Amino acid sequence: MTEEDKQEMLDYVGVKSTDDFFTDIPEKIRSQKEMNLAPPVSESALIKEFQELSSQNDNIKAYPSFLGAGVYDHYIPSIVDHVISRSEFYTAYTPYQPEISQGELQAIFEFQTMICEITGMEIANSSMYDGGTALAEAALVAATQSKMKRTKILVSEGVHPEALDVLKTYASGPDLTVEQIPLFKGQTDVQALKEAIDENTAGVIVQYPNFYGSIENLREIEHVVHQYKSLFIVSSNPLALGVLAPPGEFGADIVVGDAQPFGIPSQMGGPHCGYFAAAKKLMRKVPGRLVGQTVDEDGRRGFVLTLQAREQHIRRDKATSNICSNQALNALAASVAMSVLGRKGLKQMAVQNVKNTFYLKDKLKKAGISIIDDQPVFNEFVVDLNTAVSDVNKKLRKRGIIGGYDLSAVHSNKSGQMLVCVTELRTKEEIEQFVKELEEAL
């Protein structure tokens, strides 16, 4: 755009400068400085700069990765990319017009159905942004569904610390109190929960398996939660439910999580796809979109957005949530992956994760490396290196290995502790090489 072009447009709308467009914003909160931007460069120079930046990224396809902590390196069937690359899917937006959106609506309906089957719940929505926002939305449902207007949310320290940060941000709006329940030997301390829960507790949130990989005792926790008629909210890795009994069997009211383990690459930490499943009694409180199955006037099966009176675009300030979109493309990727794996394949994949995890555990013990809170886990567990994890990871990286997660980044009292992750993609040779290089790095 030339200066002449700019001036012509300003003259046409009747203003002197672009600043005039912002007069409705109070001057005291408007930035008066020039934006700190680099000078423009040519297209070829810009492409070169981005290529140089991208070359600094580690590619988990090139290096065996033992990093998890919420984002996992799992098998993705090649058909996933083929399906989600179809233009009618990757350009689709919210299917407001069902008569021209049956493919998209059916894909979402199948996602909802599979999430219900995996979690053991009665209904599921059409997806959320990610696991963290799904968890926070679940807390809001717990606070708003009670006629007593309860304001306290109890959260296990085993919940992902980044999800906890999202929850605290959400809770600051309606002025909810978020309290943490400590862990005891790697699991939520049930006695501490009994002491903290009261008549003002809207919901209790635990993660299953928890952030450190340990399997929570949902039956014992559920008994405490429902004594006070609070909502029992479980955040769960959906792949783990291939071997673990689903939260629905333990009386969970809401089950949330991230569908990233199914067909979604780690891709720099996002975008992902959150899922939200609940008991039928909460149907009108569930945030986001619900797709329902129906029949048309000729008796043919069809799909529609249903119960839209819950939604922001219908009820505005009275809506169940301000989330008014979803991750339909990533939900489709998860649906395709789950469909390709099938019931048996999903279980086999989950079992392989367990076997590989315990193979690594055994090798580390024989190497004399200490395991923190050694007990049944899924995917990941904590080791004590007694030295700075960041230094160890740098040494591992030079040896062609992506190391585990440095827990000192989220807890000051966990200095020297590494959260290591093993998936079905790690071979025995890679696991043995990791232990050997870890010994040398130490």
Side-chain angles (χ1 to χ4, degrees):
M1 180 174 63
T2 66
E3 281 300 316
E4 289 79 9
D5 293 334
K6 180 179 176 181
Q7 192 58 50
E8 185 179 349
M9 286 189 280
L10 291 173
D11 292 341
Y12 187 85
V13 296
V15 295
K16 293 181 179 179
S17 72
T18 51
D19 291 339
D20 293 341
F21 292 124
F22 302 99
T23 53
D24 287 342
I25 301 173
E27 196 168 339
K28 64 181 180 181
I29 64 170
R30 271 189 272 159
S31 174
Q32 305 298 326
K33 299 179 292 184
E34 288 291 319
M35 294 181 71
N36 185 24
L37 297 175
V41 296
S42 67
E43 182 179 342
S44 57
L46 189 62
I47 291 173
K48 183 180 179 182
E49 183 180 347
F50 279 130
Q51 286 174 335
E52 289 173 352
L53 286 171
S54 68
S55 67
Q56 297 175 31
N57 295 330
D58 281 338
N59 186 340
I60 59 174
K61 300 304 177 189
Y63 308 102
S65 173
F66 293 85
L67 177 63
V71 183
Y72 304 98
D73 180 25
H74 287 296
Y75 163 65
I76 299 177
S78 59
I79 194 174
V80 171
D81 276 346
H82 289 287
V83 175
I84 67 173
S85 296
R86 291 179 64 93
S87 60
E88 61 264 49
F89 281 124
Y90 71 67
T91 61
Y93 187 57
T94 299
Y96 288 119
Q97 295 174 273
E99 63 275 13
I100 62 169
S101 305
Q102 285 299 293
E104 182 75 10
L105 286 164
Q106 181 175 354
I108 293 171
F109 182 82
E110 302 296 355
F111 172 80
Q112 294 175 177
T113 304
M114 286 185 273
I115 291 298
C116 285
E117 290 180 348
I118 288 173
T119 59
M121 302 304 287
E122 295 172 301
I123 59 167
N125 73 4
S126 66
S127 78
M128 311 290 282
Y129 296 133
D130 52 28
T133 50
L135 182 142
E137 290 283 346
L140 293 190
V141 170
T144 56
Q145 67 88 33
S146 172
K147 295 179 181 178
M148 299 169 62
K149 294 186 177 180
R150 301 180 179 192
T151 58
K152 185 161 75 172
I153 304 293
L154 298 180
V155 187
S156 165
E157 282 190 1
V159 167
H160 197 300
E162 291 175 1
L164 177 63
D165 286 342
V166 176
L167 171 60
K168 288 178 178 178
T169 302
Y170 266 65
S172 64
D175 202 23
L176 302 180
T177 301
V178 177
E179 294 182 13
Q180 283 192 272
I181 304 298
L183 300 181
F184 179 69
K185 295 183 178 179
Q187 295 178 319
T188 302
D189 189 335
V190 178
Q191 185 56 42
L193 174 62
K194 290 177 180 178
E195 294 170 4
I197 195 168
D198 57 27
E199 300 292 343
N200 189 39
T201 303
V204 176
I205 303 175
V206 297
Q207 188 167 318
Y208 171 78
N210 68 27
F211 178 64
Y212 304 100
S214 298
I215 315 299
E216 294 283 4
N217 188 337
L218 297 190
R219 193 177 302 283
E220 194 174 5
I221 295 170
E222 181 273 335
H223 181 67
V224 177
V225 175
H226 285 156
Q227 274 187 326
Y228 286 85
K229 296 182 179 179
S230 304
L231 287 195
F232 184 27
I233 301 167
V234 180
S235 174
S236 190
N237 178 336
L239 177 59
L241 301 182
V243 287
L244 300 178
E249 288 189 15
F250 297 104
D253 298 294
I254 301 174
V255 183
V256 297
D258 205 309
Q260 186 270 328
F262 294 140
I264 302 173
S266 51
Q267 50 198 17
M268 304 292 288
H272 288 175
C273 168
Y275 72 84
F276 190 113
K280 192 175 181 180
K281 64 183 179 182
L282 298 171
M283 186 186 299
R284 293 186 179 275
K285 297 289 185 180
V286 172
R289 304 261 155 80
L290 290 176
V291 173
Q293 180 176 266
T294 184
V295 292
D296 65 12
E297 60 183 10
D298 297 320
R300 295 174 301 188
R301 185 174 73 146
F303 303 91
V304 294
L305 287 178
T306 190
L307 292 177
Q308 291 194 67
R310 307 167 312 104
E311 291 204 34
Q312 183 250 22
H313 71 275
I314 298 289
R315 299 187 66 185
R316 296 183 181 271
D317 58 316
K318 293 182 180 179
T320 53
S321 166
N322 283 324
I323 279 191
C324 60
S325 189
N326 68 309
Q327 292 282 39
L329 193 63
N330 280 336
L332 175 64
S335 300
V336 175
M338 286 188 279
S339 300
V340 172
L341 289 169
R343 292 176 185 270
K344 291 182 180 179
L346 195 152
K347 182 177 180 179
Q348 289 171 0
M349 187 169 163
V351 167
Q352 192 59 51
N353 276 260
V354 173
K355 287 182 177 180
N356 282 0
T357 303
F358 280 89
Y359 186 74
L360 174 59
K361 256 191 178 186
D362 182 60
K363 291 295 180 183
L364 288 170
K365 287 177 184 177
K366 289 177 180 176
I369 295 173
S370 175
I371 310 292
I372 303 291
D373 297 322
D374 191 7
Q375 59 178 300
V377 297
F378 182 84
N379 256 153
E380 46 203 334
F381 55 92
V382 183
V383 294
D384 191 354
L385 304 182
N386 288 313
T387 189
V389 174
S390 58
D391 292 340
V392 173
N393 277 337
K394 288 175 184 176
K395 293 177 183 178
L396 290 173
R397 175 63 188 82
K398 289 178 180 177
R399 293 170 166 87
I401 292 174
I402 299 173
Y405 185 76
D406 183 359
L407 288 174
S408 68
V410 290
H411 292 292
S412 58
N413 64 342
K414 296 189 181 296
S415 178
Q417 294 184 14
M418 176 191 282
L419 181 66
V420 293
C421 175
V422 197
T423 72
E424 77 288 346
L425 292 181
R426 299 285 72 81
T427 65
K428 285 189 175 181
E429 292 76 18
E430 288 173 340
I431 291 172
E432 291 165 2
Q433 183 68 15
F434 172 66
V435 175
K436 177 178 177 291
E437 299 294 356
L438 188 58
E439 281 186 281
E440 290 185 13
L442 292 172

